[in-house]
Amino acid sequence: MSEVLALEEVGVGPVRGLSLALSSGQTARLTIASHDAKSALFALLAGHRTPEAGRVRLFGEELYALPDDARVPLYRRAGFVPEQGGLISNLKAWENLLLPAAFHQGLNADAVEARVVALWREADPDGADLRETMGKLPDRLTAFERRMVALLRALLPQPDLLVYDFLSSGLDAGSAARLYALTQRFHGEKPGRASVYLCADDAASAKLPADVTLRLG
Amino acid sequence: MAGFLSPERTGRSVLGIAWYAQGFFALLRYLATHLSALTVRPTRLVLFKQIYFTGIEALGAVSIIAVLTGIVITTQITSLVGVNATLTAKIMLWVVVRELGPLLTAIVIIARSSSAAASELAGMKIRGELDSLRQMGIEPMDYLIVPRIAGITLSVMAVTFYFQMLAIIAGIGFTALTHGIPFAGTLGSVVSLLTLGEVAASFFKTLVFGLVVSITSCYYGLRAPATTTAIPQAATAAVVRNLLTVFLLDGVITYAVFL
């Protein structure tokens, strides 16, 4: 098993002395009580916030020793699902969803449409007209729709690492359970894929099976 | 007056111009070395959208201004020198092709697109969308900046050409209707007077104006600090700097090429 993500005595914002080692195929669940700590940690993993202490290695590379433009190719192997979606405001939901897959792999809408529709219906069986949803700009989407777009956007390029940021936050128990079930299936779809869940201390998150579990104050 | 000319204020202005110049040439260099980003389909879509917003959507306003400019100029010429097809053609060429075409088109595009591009980029930066692109493995400069600079520059060049043609045809058409000057004869004079040097100088001017407008807009959008009040400030700064730079360069190019 090769190393996917390693944190060594990392200090970032309110998080202090955090260590974590995640190998290919493993799942980590980090239960975090503080929203500030969660935001700091997600920004650190996503490459936006330099740690005040410690080291971060992503796919074996010392992440924060690399200049910004050298980090970008490394992130082609990772998929992030931010709590607020992290969508591009001037792109419609469908364009957002397709962006990384179209950019890196040249995929077009026809190639992924059937899969996207099936996955969306699985997560939201009684949802609104998907065609209408896909034509909306991000500020017209509900919190659930934004998260679904972010989730499918992260999945389509088939990354080696998936990072979920408070995936169940603000959702009803049924929707949260369906989203978690989808992510667990994604995990097994590609051999060696690793998953990191940043979770609130809630019942849905507590049921997630994980190889590495940590609890941060 | 003392406050206006204070050393602190002067120093800040000089530093601002120096930072702007440095940022401008850094973006120009980035564009020159990363044009290959336009081969990626999503980036090409951004380019096409930019050409649509900056070029095609500006055609209505540009058409009205071009027609009125052509009519005003030919009316003034006729009132000053009387009915003279050759002189009308010469002055139309000098005024419209050399000066007003590039300048008025740049002003229209600055008013419409410069503030829009600067505020859009500033908003995206404030909302963390540049970081979102990086975490998708997409370099924001390649995806957002290269197609915007290329799109605005191409639009300025194409719309300027359209303005020049329309203003000349409208002006000559108007004098043909009102003073009976033969339309085809005057148009023929314009074409025969048009030299390759004239066309090259106009092309060069529009290329410079296009690069200035696009790069300045992107520069002020990208350098906005992460507060919402920075969005209108970025838009205003882009428009003001663009107007000053375009007028300054217009003078410099005219002096260097035509004197």
Side-chain angles (χ1 to χ4, degrees):
Chain A
M1 288 202 297
S2 58
E3 178 190 274
V4 174
L5 175 70
L7 309 181
E8 290 177 8
E9 290 296 319
V10 163
V12 57
V15 178
R16 293 284 146 212
L18 175 64
S19 293
L20 167 77
L22 190 71
S23 300
S24 57
Q26 288 190 315
T27 297
R29 186 179 76 229
L30 281 70
T31 306
I32 309 169
S34 153
H35 206 273
D36 286 346
K38 183 277 292 185
S39 299
L41 193 54
F42 184 78
L44 174 93
L45 296 176
H48 313 153
R49 185 160 175 180
T50 308
E52 292 109 50
R55 298 160 65 185
V56 180
R57 280 197 307 279
L58 185 63
F59 301 116
E61 299 272 357
E62 195 77 44
L63 188 61
Y64 286 94
L66 297 171
D68 279 357
D69 56 349
R71 276 183 224 157
V72 170
L74 213 53
Y75 279 99
R76 287 180 197 158
R77 295 181 61 191
F80 288 82
V81 187
E83 183 183 3
Q84 301 301 330
L87 306 182
I88 305 303
S89 57
N90 60 9
L91 296 182
K92 290 174 181 170
W94 182 248
E95 294 168 318
N96 260 293
L97 199 151
L98 201 58
L99 181 59
F103 200 94
H104 300 310
Q105 290 151 4
L107 292 180
N108 60 26
D110 294 339
V112 299
E113 184 178 349
R115 175 136 208 248
V116 166
V117 171
L119 289 170
W120 194 294
R121 284 288 163 239
E122 196 175 321
D124 185 25
D126 309 316
D129 178 12
L130 194 52
R131 192 179 297 273
E132 191 186 326
T133 305
M134 286 296 153
K136 288 180 184 172
L137 287 169
D139 57 0
R140 306 296 303 273
L141 297 173
T142 64
F144 174 80
E145 288 167 344
R146 276 201 299 274
R147 211 159 298 161
M148 272 305 291
V149 172
L151 183 64
L152 297 179
R153 179 184 69 181
L155 171 81
L156 287 178
Q158 295 294 344
D160 296 316
L161 169 68
L162 279 158
V163 179
Y164 305 102
D165 172 28
F166 273 36
L167 193 65
S168 60
S169 159
L171 303 183
D172 61 84
S175 299
R178 284 194 295 273
L179 282 194
Y180 276 138
L182 271 183
T183 63
Q184 285 171 266
R185 223 178 62 215
F186 296 162
H187 181 79
E189 269 181 4
K190 184 176 181 184
R193 174 175 288 162
S195 301
V196 176
Y197 294 87
L198 307 185
C199 302
D201 195 359
D202 58 35
S205 308
K207 290 179 194 159
L208 275 171
D211 304 295
V212 180
T213 56
L214 282 173
R215 184 173 286 273
L216 304 178
Chain B
M1 194 66 179
F4 182 71
L5 292 173
S6 72
E8 187 189 337
R9 197 180 172 115
T10 309
R12 211 183 299 137
S13 298
V14 170
L15 273 178
I17 292 168
W19 281 117
Y20 163 69
Q22 189 195 38
F24 180 90
F25 285 109
L27 284 176
L28 184 61
R29 195 167 51 244
Y30 194 91
L31 174 77
T33 52
H34 290 78
L35 273 174
S36 60
L38 295 171
T39 58
V40 181
R41 195 165 56 91
T43 310
R44 269 204 313 277
L45 287 177
V46 179
L47 171 76
F48 296 151
K49 279 184 185 175
Q50 193 62 56
I51 290 172
Y52 177 77
F53 290 129
T54 305
I56 295 171
E57 286 204 328
L59 288 181
V62 166
S63 300
I64 294 168
I65 295 170
V67 168
L68 293 175
T69 303
I71 290 172
V72 167
I73 292 170
T74 47
T75 305
Q76 290 285 4
I77 297 167
T78 313
S79 73
L80 281 171
V81 299
V83 175
N84 184 330
T86 310
L87 194 57
T88 301
K90 267 187 185 172
I91 296 176
M92 281 295 282
L93 198 64
W94 292 336
V95 176
V96 173
V97 175
R98 289 181 180 182
E99 286 301 323
L100 287 185
L103 203 56
L104 289 179
T105 307
I107 291 170
V108 171
I109 288 179
I110 288 169
R112 288 190 77 260
S113 297
S114 172
S115 55
S119 55
E120 185 184 34
L121 287 172
M124 293 180 85
K125 187 181 173 194
I126 289 163
R127 287 187 295 272
E129 292 172 26
L130 275 61
D131 287 338
S132 290
L133 287 169
R134 281 193 198 96
Q135 80 194 18
M136 286 185 259
I138 297 171
E139 173 52 55
M141 293 288 286
D142 288 349
Y143 178 67
L144 296 176
I145 304 304
V146 171
R148 272 176 177 74
I149 295 176
I152 294 175
T153 304
L154 289 172
S155 298
V156 168
M157 296 174 77
V159 175
T160 301
F161 179 72
Y162 171 77
F163 181 105
Q164 290 164 332
M165 295 300 107
L166 193 59
I168 289 171
I169 289 168
I172 294 171
F174 185 75
T175 48
L177 284 174
T178 55
H179 293 85
I181 303 175
F183 178 82
T186 317
L187 195 61
S189 298
V190 171
V191 173
S192 65
L193 288 166
L194 201 60
T195 63
L196 191 62
E198 202 87 49
V199 175
S202 176
F203 179 83
F204 176 69
K205 197 182 254 191
T206 57
L207 174 66
V208 171
F209 286 0
L211 287 169
V212 165
V213 173
S214 56
I215 293 177
T216 304
S217 309
C218 291
Y219 169 77
Y220 281 101
L222 287 177
R223 74 186 281 274
T227 59
T228 49
T229 53
I231 297 176
Q233 286 170 355
T236 307
V239 169
V240 172
R241 179 71 72 194
N242 263 325
L243 286 173
L244 291 173
T245 311
V246 160
F247 273 92
L248 175 73
L249 288 174
D250 185 52
V252 170
I253 295 170
T254 300
Y255 183 82
V257 175
F258 298 114
L259 280 185

